[in-house]
Amino acid sequence: MTNAQKWVALFLVAFIFLFILAKITRKEEVSGGTNYEVYEEDVVSIMQKQRCFECHGENLQGTGKGPSLYGIQKYWSRAKLINYLRNPKSYASAERFEEYQKKYKEFMPSFEKVDTKNLGKIADYILSLKNSD
Ligand code: HEC
């Protein structure tokens, strides 16, 4: 190899190295930047499995089978809401639940089999749903 060829080879190696390095760092940025969406998606798939959307609507705005879940943070703390999801019947005495019982044929099912961590994620998600008014 001549000196010139050596320089060309060295240059190529350096170029490839930087190219790979750029790819790796970019991937990290992307996954770091979308953490929030991953979290959201996670909640949605948990709730899909538990069929929350079938009764509460695809945007949780309510259907003929269950009430809207918007703006209910005035009634619930996170801990209470988790307990409610585990055992809805124990909270059925609140006034609005009398209305619910007249309006909906089925009760809210209990989700005691769902992992507490997942119930916590669901609670956080529901408590973030604010009415626009
Ligand atoms: C079979 C239909 C059905 C399914 C499935 C269902 N719900 Fe309900 N949900 C209801 C009904 C009906 C009520 C009204 C209370 C009652 O009658 O038991 C209710 C009430 C609630 C409330 C209380 C609303 C308030 O005003 O405080 C929350 C929170 C709730 N549901 C969350 C969920 C979540 C989260 C899931 C999924 C894990 C879910 N529900 C699945 C029917 C359902």
Side-chain angles (χ1 to χ4, degrees):
M1 265 209 260
T2 65
N3 258 351
Q5 280 172 329
K6 276 185 195 156
W7 278 111
V8 169
L10 190 70
F11 190 78
L12 270 178
V13 169
F15 184 80
I16 290 165
F17 177 73
L18 284 175
F19 184 73
I20 292 167
L21 199 70
K23 281 237 150 165
I24 292 167
T25 42
R26 200 172 65 211
K27 251 193 210 142
E28 271 168 13
E29 261 169 37
V30 167
S31 58
T34 53
N35 264 349
Y36 185 66
E37 272 168 44
V38 169
Y39 176 72
E40 290 264 288
E41 213 176 40
D42 212 22
V43 172
V44 169
S45 59
I46 295 163
M47 290 177 77
Q48 262 162 353
K49 262 186 231 145
Q50 303 305 328
R51 315 170 93 166
C52 314
F53 301 106
E54 283 177 28
C55 295
H56 291 286
E58 57 179 318
N59 299 315
L60 302 175
Q61 77 284 24
T63 72
K65 291 170 106 186
S68 162
L69 300 183
Y70 281 79
I72 62 169
Q73 53 281 102
K74 58 183 171 230
Y75 306 118
W76 299 108
S77 66
R78 187 177 189 270
K80 262 194 179 172
L81 189 52
I82 292 172
N83 279 332
Y84 173 73
L85 295 173
R86 280 206 196 105
N87 186 10
K89 292 224 167 77
S90 66
Y91 287 85
S93 57
E95 233 175 84
R96 69 185 183 290
F97 283 89
E98 279 173 32
E99 292 294 307
Y100 289 157
Q101 261 122 60
K102 282 180 218 153
K103 209 166 158 191
Y104 306 108
K105 266 192 253 151
E106 281 176 86
F107 285 111
M108 165 77 179
S110 68
F111 295 95
E112 63 208 339
K113 295 210 177 79
V114 179
D115 196 89
T116 311
K117 214 171 102 196
N118 287 345
L119 290 179
K121 282 187 195 174
I122 293 176
D124 286 338
Y125 185 62
I126 291 173
L127 293 172
S128 77
L129 301 171
K130 302 233 161 77
N131 276 322
S132 48
D133 55 8

